[in-house]
Amino acid sequence: MRARTAAAYAVAGAVHLVTAALFIGSVSLIVVGLRTVVQPMVGLALLGLALAMRPRIGQLNADLPTLRAADAPALFDLLGGIADTCGVRPPESVQLAPEFSVTVTHYGFTRKRCLVVGLPLWAAYPPQQRVAAIAHAMAYAAPRNVRSHAFVAMALESLTAGARTVRANDTAYITQTTNALAYGADEVAAGARSFDIRVKTSEWVLWIPRTALAATARLLLWLTLPATQGALLEADDAAARTASSEAAAAALNDQDLARAVCMEAHRLVIETKTLATRRSTAASQHDFWEKLARQAARLRGQRAGDATRGSLDASRVARLSAPPRHLAAITLDEPGLTRIADELRLPEKAVLDKMMRDGVAEAQPSMALR
């Protein structure tokens, strides 16, 4: 595993060097070849690719409500305790999202950590499973996960952005609709054919860098896979130590509720919009998350009585359920839950307004290997 990790850093370094070389080479072509036409055009094309592959500094999502420690002291006290138990740095900010997920993102030059909590998951999970999901997300995003390290993560982002930049465009071709008997129809048809030939030629030219970028990205993902799988199991263990083995296994097992919960959220959004003229908006928002939690509890009960259904990752659930079993190091009591609920009331309203406006996002498992 160490050899593959070292190779992954070498590949990531090569990606960054190629990006720098593209930028320097493209600027040189533009400056040196100003008196020509071909060199500046080639330089501009390479400069566009270099800018697309530039290392990106993460940013907070401006569309999501953001909480700092001063905004939600009870929530950040909980996150600080979870971080201490997991042996990681606590997040500097928290954002609430309309997805069924809990993830950690990085932003700024210093790679600050932001915990992005999906409110459908927060409503669907019992308190200890919320602790387990947060602990898993924070531990999984630790520096020991190679894909979370800035050097490798930025290389993967550069490769993805570069491949997207040089992708084929199926809409670039001209659809011939000219009447064959119209004046100048032959010239128009010949021009369309010539244009389509040039588009096809450019696609063949772009196929080489597109294939190289995609192959390098796949190579980097393959090289980091063992370390990432190890980080995933370590995150499972951290969730078990923090919230108890039972809660960690239950949180992992409840991933298969994601689609059903998001479908119920979509139904509730439509119902709330439909009844908006008959009921106050405040009452609808107050009931929304409670209804979602009750539906998740019903789905959980139905699944418990169905022996044919299993977890999305039964092997990890079995591993968490096997000895030695951990007791909870952090528990959410009623006073703590009440304080956190009060702190989240206004952000929950903002997220619900976003769901009313934009709809419900597709379900994304929160504790799966990404």
Side-chain angles (χ1 to χ4, degrees):
M1 186 174 73
R2 291 182 179 179
R4 286 175 65 165
T5 300
Y9 279 102
V11 171
V15 171
H16 294 310
L17 288 175
V18 168
T19 303
L22 280 174
F23 179 78
I24 296 172
S26 62
V27 173
S28 300
L29 284 173
I30 294 172
V31 173
V32 174
L34 279 177
R35 296 182 179 180
T36 67
V37 177
V38 177
Q39 288 184 7
M41 294 297 293
V42 174
L44 285 174
L46 293 178
L47 180 61
L49 180 59
L51 292 177
M53 294 179 62
R54 71 191 185 279
R56 286 165 171 76
I57 304 300
Q59 295 180 341
L60 293 175
N61 190 337
D63 292 335
L64 302 179
T66 304
L67 298 174
R68 312 287 182 178
D71 304 319
L75 176 62
F76 275 83
D77 285 344
L78 172 66
L79 298 181
I82 294 174
D84 290 340
T85 305
C86 296
V88 298
R89 181 163 52 94
E92 285 80 9
S93 60
V94 173
Q95 288 193 315
L96 303 182
E99 290 91 19
F100 192 97
S101 63
V102 178
T103 58
V104 172
T105 61
H106 298 85
Y107 65 98
F109 288 99
T110 58
R111 297 278 291 176
K112 294 181 178 179
R113 293 158 63 90
C114 175
L115 180 71
V116 184
V117 179
L119 286 182
L121 179 142
W122 185 263
Y125 275 15
Q128 283 305 113
Q129 291 183 209
R130 298 174 187 174
V131 174
I134 291 172
H136 187 279
M138 293 172 64
Y140 184 71
R144 57 181 171 268
N145 183 356
V146 178
R147 290 184 191 172
S148 295
H149 197 277
F151 194 72
V152 176
M154 287 183 178
L156 281 170
E157 292 175 1
S158 297
L159 292 169
T160 303
R164 190 186 305 116
T165 301
V166 296
R167 71 185 185 278
N169 187 357
D170 295 332
T171 62
Y173 294 95
I174 296 178
T175 303
Q176 183 59 260
T177 58
T178 306
N179 189 339
L181 301 179
Y183 177 77
D186 294 339
E187 290 80 0
V188 172
R193 285 193 299 270
S194 176
F195 179 82
D196 289 344
I197 290 173
R198 288 196 295 270
V199 170
K200 192 69 175 178
T201 302
S202 66
E203 286 187 358
W204 277 105
V205 172
L206 292 176
W207 177 85
I208 298 174
R210 183 170 65 248
T211 303
L213 290 168
T216 306
R218 285 194 293 269
L219 174 62
L220 195 53
L221 289 173
W222 177 77
L223 290 172
T224 57
L225 183 59
T228 303
Q229 289 176 333
L232 184 73
L233 296 181
E234 290 181 9
D236 287 344
D237 294 337
R241 291 194 308 270
T242 305
S244 79
S245 298
E246 181 182 0
L252 181 59
N253 198 46
D254 278 355
Q255 285 184 107
D256 61 0
L257 298 180
R259 179 177 176 80
V261 168
C262 288
M263 289 178 63
E264 176 65 10
H266 177 70
R267 188 192 69 80
L268 289 173
V269 165
I270 296 176
E271 180 184 85
T272 303
K273 287 182 177 180
T274 304
L275 301 178
T277 56
R278 293 181 241 172
R279 299 180 58 190
S280 68
T281 305
S284 299
Q285 291 172 344
H286 177 73
D287 294 340
F288 185 91
W289 303 112
E290 292 184 0
K291 289 180 179 179
L292 201 61
R294 288 196 294 269
Q295 175 65 6
R298 284 194 293 269
L299 292 170
R300 194 176 291 110
Q302 293 172 2
R303 186 191 58 195
D306 186 356
T308 62
R309 296 189 64 183
S311 168
L312 293 176
D313 197 331
S315 62
R316 288 168 59 198
V317 173
R319 181 176 176 274
L320 288 170
S321 302
R325 296 175 63 84
H326 298 279
L327 298 177
I330 294 178
T331 58
L332 268 175
D333 55 13
E334 283 300 324
L337 283 170
T338 302
R339 289 195 299 271
I340 292 174
D342 291 338
E343 294 170 351
L344 297 184
R345 200 172 306 280
L346 288 178
E348 283 179 348
K349 180 181 181 301
V351 173
L352 185 55
D353 290 342
K354 177 178 174 60
M355 294 169 68
M356 295 293 173
R357 183 184 71 245
D358 301 335
V360 180
E362 183 180 355
Q364 296 288 339
S366 64
M367 296 175 67
L369 178 57
R370 291 172 287 274

